[in-house]
Structure formats: structure tokens, C-alpha cells
Amino acid sequence: MFGFMKMFKPKRYSRYRRSAAPAAPAETNGMADDAPVGPDLNGNLARLKQSFRNATDLVVRRFLAAPDKTPAALVYLDGLTDKNAVLNNVLRNLIYERADRDVDFRTSVGGAVAAASWPDIEHAVLSGQSVLFVDGHFEALLIDTQGWPQRAIEDPQLEASLKGAHQGFVETAIQNVALIRRYIPNRELQVKKINVGARGKAAVYIIYLADVASPELLAELEKRISGLNVDNVINTGELAELIEDNPYSPFPQFLLTERPDSVASQILQGRFAVIVDRSPAVLVAPATFIAFFQSVDDYSTRWLVASFIRLLRYGALFIAMFLPALYVALISFNYEVIPMEMFFSIAETRERVPFSPVMEALLMEITLEMMREAGIRLPAPIGQTVGIVGGIVIGQAAVQAGIVSNIMVIIVALTAIASFIVPSYDMGAAIRLLRFPMMLLAATFGLVGLVIGWATVLAHLVGLTSLGAPYGSPLAPFRFTDLKDTLVRFPIWTMITRPKSMETTQSVRQGKNRGKR
């Protein structure tokens, strides 16, 4: 037989029998799932067609394999395989290979593995591989011919960068791994694969630096992912919700990003990147509260400019979360702290407003969220028009009709702008959500309610963890050496050590330029 047939080794059927009397195997359509592949080609094809009896895209190509015209069949799913690879690299070699040529079939495709169990064969077909059956052999050959539709690498839409790379992750996990390897071409960059899901078998990849990352955190991450008992994991957001420490917290406990340069930077700090096949977002764990206010542009601009922009983000955090609540508290309870001229100006604008301050604020904030959601769901040109025109028209009409005051429109506009400054969409959504209970506390207790709300948020952040690591680090617990990249960014050459919250095995960053200046 020709070269690649050496992978097949005829075996007696008794080899697959168990020595002890086993329990009755699970059966599908009258056939045991753990039964091995038989030597009869027609029987094997009938078994496979019965498993895929309603799959109209199942392709079965029968042919006579050279050189001795052995009956064979190639099975694959149309749309999940590369037809050029199937025709030119597989079928042509099988049909037209001459007996006097010793052609190694495995070199003409990505890979070929022999399999004898039906679950492995069915999973290979569903994964885009082609399965070769040869009459008289007790094994099938799983050939890598995947070729499903793929999206080109583009600039991430939600994480625009001025000076960073203009490449984003795609829906194919292997390509995403390759993008990360381009930034970290090091042998210590390890990739572990875990299949998740009883039905979908989603491929989940954990990427980390073996000589830097914490073994304890790695074991915890693997335990959480491998212990999932779900049908399938569709995207990275589902995985993050399934393995997070506190599912009832409004704050995101893992970073989700579509930027390879950002993920590479996090891996170099000792964190783990989790890639879910069929999802363009990559999960970074563990995460801290400070990490959600850091951007890739912070490290490509001058450190003074980056520090100023970062302080703006923290200021935007307080504006987006507390400004509407502060307005409600001052107007409803603590109006004595307002300067007299401003107080009369606010009173004049609220003279025709029929609602209480809290109802006015809730009405405008809910309207803002509705316009924001409409702008996201509509096509890009129409969405921008709806956001701009809707905000101007509705705001002006509401003021003229006496439904809301001018000062309320200004506060809502400042709140919206502040929420857009936060780099992370998930953190921005959490801040917008907390705005509503803050307004209710302010309407009930005034400034005291604001203090209670802020203290509650602080206590929650201090007690929160991400993959077991403290979420509030380096502020809680306080770590002085990690403060160089928190509220402000110090020069890069001063950042000698990695974050202590990562519990890395190699705390000192390597490089000749890490010393004194």
C-alpha cells in the first residue's frame, strides 16, 4: 500500500474489548457510542450517516484508492472544509498516486491522525476535518482540512488607539494565538487547550509565561474552566460570567479586550490570557480595578501627558457616578451649601418643572440610556445621527416644554461625556448602573446618602477578588512599589518590578534599560 497507508495498522476487533464485564454502553440509534470502527466500509458509512441523518451538508466522496483500487470514502461537512485542500491535497493523492512513488501523505496537509472511536470521528467531522475510511481497516484517518469562513484582521472598533497597533483579534482562536506570539516570541510562552461544553466542545486556550506566571493562579484558572458543566460556551463574555469570583457584583472582574498589544503587555506582567474559539474578545485574568482605567496609549505617549489623561479618567469616574446624585441631594436637602446667586438661577430654571429633582434626574438619565442603546444598535451613520439629533432636539424640547430644567440638561450631558472617557466598556456600564442607586440614596438622605453609597462601594471593592487576587490592589491592600502605574504613570524605566498582586515567580522585569537613570 502507498506511503500514508502505513498509518493504518489492521487490528483484531478483540483488542477493543474490555477485559472485565463493563456496564451497558450508551447507544445512539441502536449502535453503541464506544464501539470501534469496523473493517467494513459500507457499515462504517451507514453508521456515520445515521449519526448525521439530518445533516444535508454532509459530503461522502466514494473512490478507489491507488495503487490497488481499494474502496475508500472521504467524509466532511461542506462549508467547514477547504475544498481546494480536499481536492488537490487529499483526493488527488489518494486516487492518482502511483505505486512506484513513496509519497508521504501527511506532508501535503496540515496533519493526519488515526482514530478508532466514533465520538472522536464525529467530533472531527463537526470541527471541519475530513475523515478517510478505507475498506478492510479498523481505523479512520482524521485529516486537517479546516476552511470555514473567516474575517480579516481589522482595527478594533471599541478600542481605538492613536499610536498603538491597528490589529484586532478575530473569531479564529489559532490566529489570535499567532497574533500574541508575534509580540512575545519566547519559548516560555505556553499555550494550554481545554475543551468546554457537552455539545459544542468550545476550544479554550490559556496563554501565559511559564517562568513568570503564578502556578497557584494557573491551577485555579484551569480548575474553574475545566469544571464547567454547560452545553457550550459561545463567547468570552459567557466564560467570564461562569468563572468569576462574585457573580452578583456590578463590577467586571476580568478584562475583555480585542487588542493583541494590550494582551501581550498583560501577559508580560504575569497575567493569563484566555482565548475562546469563535470569539474575538480575549479574557485577561486576574484583573484589578485600576487596570480598567489604563489604556494602551498610556505607554506610547509621554509619561506626563499619560498621567494627566489618567487623572482625567478618575475624575470622570466621580462625575459619571455622583454628579446627578449630587444635584438631587443639593436641590432636595442641602440647598444651603449652594451660593445664593446660583441658587436663584437654579430656582428660576426649575420654576415650571412639575417633577421633583429625583424624578427629573431619573427621567433624563433613562432617556440618555435609551438614546445610547439606540445609537449602538442602529447602523453606524444612522446611529451617530440619532445620538446627536436626538440629544439636541429632545433636550431643547424638554426645556421649552418645562419638563426638565436647563441645569439638568447640562448635568446629563456632562455625565454622558464622563462615562465615555472610561477606556473599558464593561467598567463604564457598571458606573452608569451605579448612578441610579446613588440618586435614590441622595433623594432619601441627601449628602449623607451619598457618603453611605460611596462607603458601600469602597467596602465592596476592598472585599472583591479576581481569580483569588485582590481586586483593589495596589490600594487595598496597599503596595507602595506598585503605585508607579496607578493614579499616574511614572516613566517606564522606573517600573522595575511586576505587580505584587500577580504573585509572579519572577518579580523583576528583565532588560538592560531597567536600571538607574
Side-chain angles (χ1 to χ4, degrees), residues 72-399:
L74 191 69
V75 183
Y76 58 90
L77 285 177
D78 190 17
L80 293 181
T81 56
D82 185 357
K83 292 184 178 180
N84 291 328
V86 171
L87 295 176
N88 298 327
N89 300 339
V90 180
L91 289 176
R92 178 167 298 187
N93 290 347
L94 292 171
I95 298 175
Y96 299 107
E97 185 179 9
R98 296 176 54 186
D100 57 351
R101 292 171 53 195
D102 187 14
V103 179
D104 189 354
F105 174 71
R106 287 169 290 179
T107 62
S108 61
V109 292
V113 179
S117 66
W118 283 108
D120 293 340
I121 293 174
E122 293 173 2
H123 178 67
V125 173
L126 293 171
S127 300
Q129 292 179 296
S130 297
V131 180
L132 175 64
F133 293 96
V134 179
D135 191 39
H137 291 268
F138 288 88
E139 289 180 332
L141 196 63
L142 312 182
I143 309 169
D144 291 338
T145 56
Q146 292 92 336
W148 50 77
Q150 299 182 13
R151 179 171 60 92
I153 296 176
E154 301 174 348
D155 193 14
Q157 299 295 324
L158 296 180
E159 299 175 83
S161 175
L162 297 177
K163 295 184 178 181
H166 296 279
Q167 288 182 329
F169 290 118
V170 294
E171 286 75 14
T172 304
I174 297 300
Q175 291 191 18
N176 294 340
V177 174
L179 288 174
I180 296 176
R181 283 197 180 277
R182 287 198 61 197
Y183 285 95
I184 311 177
N186 190 279
R187 64 182 181 182
E188 295 296 337
L189 186 68
Q190 303 293 323
V191 180
K192 287 191 175 183
K193 180 181 178 181
I194 302 175
N195 291 324
V196 178
R199 295 182 181 272
K201 298 292 184 182
V204 178
Y205 298 85
I206 303 176
I207 306 178
Y208 62 97
L209 285 174
D211 60 340
V212 174
S214 169
E216 292 78 12
L217 294 180
L218 174 61
E220 178 65 22
L221 182 60
E222 289 182 346
K223 177 183 176 182
R224 295 187 185 186
I225 295 177
S226 60
L228 295 178
N229 185 15
V230 293
D231 283 343
N232 196 3
V233 176
I234 302 298
N235 54 54
T236 311
E238 290 186 7
L239 180 66
E241 188 172 348
L242 290 170
I243 65 173
E244 63 185 0
D245 294 47
N246 189 345
Y248 301 103
S249 174
F251 294 101
Q253 294 155 53
F254 299 112
L255 279 168
L256 296 181
T257 178
E258 296 184 12
R259 299 195 60 88
D261 50 357
S262 178
V263 171
S265 176
Q266 300 292 345
I267 292 176
L268 290 172
Q269 294 181 24
R271 292 184 171 91
F272 302 89
V274 181
I275 298 177
V276 178
D277 195 22
R278 304 185 293 266
S279 177
V282 173
L283 182 148
V284 178
T288 61
F289 181 78
I290 299 296
F292 291 94
F293 294 88
Q294 298 172 346
S295 173
V296 66
D297 283 331
D298 293 350
Y299 307 95
S300 57
T301 57
R302 298 291 299 170
W303 68 276
L304 288 173
V305 177
S307 299
F308 172 73
I309 295 176
R310 192 171 290 184
L311 289 175
L312 283 181
R313 295 184 189 130
Y314 291 113
L317 162 67
F318 289 95
I319 292 175
M321 187 180 297
F322 295 108
L323 184 59
L326 181 62
Y327 167 80
V328 173
L330 293 180
I331 298 300
S332 301
F333 285 91
N334 306 97
Y335 46 83
E336 67 276 2
V337 302
I338 304 176
M340 188 62 64
E341 295 182 358
M342 181 178 292
F343 177 80
F344 285 122
S345 177
I346 295 175
E348 184 179 354
T349 60
R350 284 192 45 82
E351 184 178 3
R352 297 176 52 200
V353 177
F355 302 110
S356 62
V358 64
M359 289 300 299
E360 179 188 13
L362 289 174
L363 177 64
M364 289 301 297
E365 291 295 340
I366 293 175
T367 304
L368 172 65
E369 294 300 325
M370 292 175 62
M371 288 191 298
R372 186 200 306 270
E373 190 68 18
I376 294 175
R377 304 305 169 191
L378 290 173
I382 302 177
Q384 295 177 0
T385 304
V386 169
I388 297 174
V389 176
I392 296 175
V393 173
I394 293 178
Q396 184 177 2
V399 172

Side-chain angles (χ1 to χ4, degrees), residues 42-57:
N42 294 328
N44 291 332
L45 294 180
R47 168 69 172 83
L48 193 63
K49 289 181 179 179
Q50 182 64 24
S51 299
F52 294 90
R53 58 189 179 277
N54 294 324
T56 58
D57 54 346

Side-chain angles (χ1 to χ4, degrees), residues 13-33:
Y13 187 83
S14 59
R15 174 181 176 179
Y16 299 97
R17 297 185 183 274
R18 300 182 182 180
S19 57
E27 295 187 359
T28 304
N29 303 317
M31 288 169 283
D33 285 340

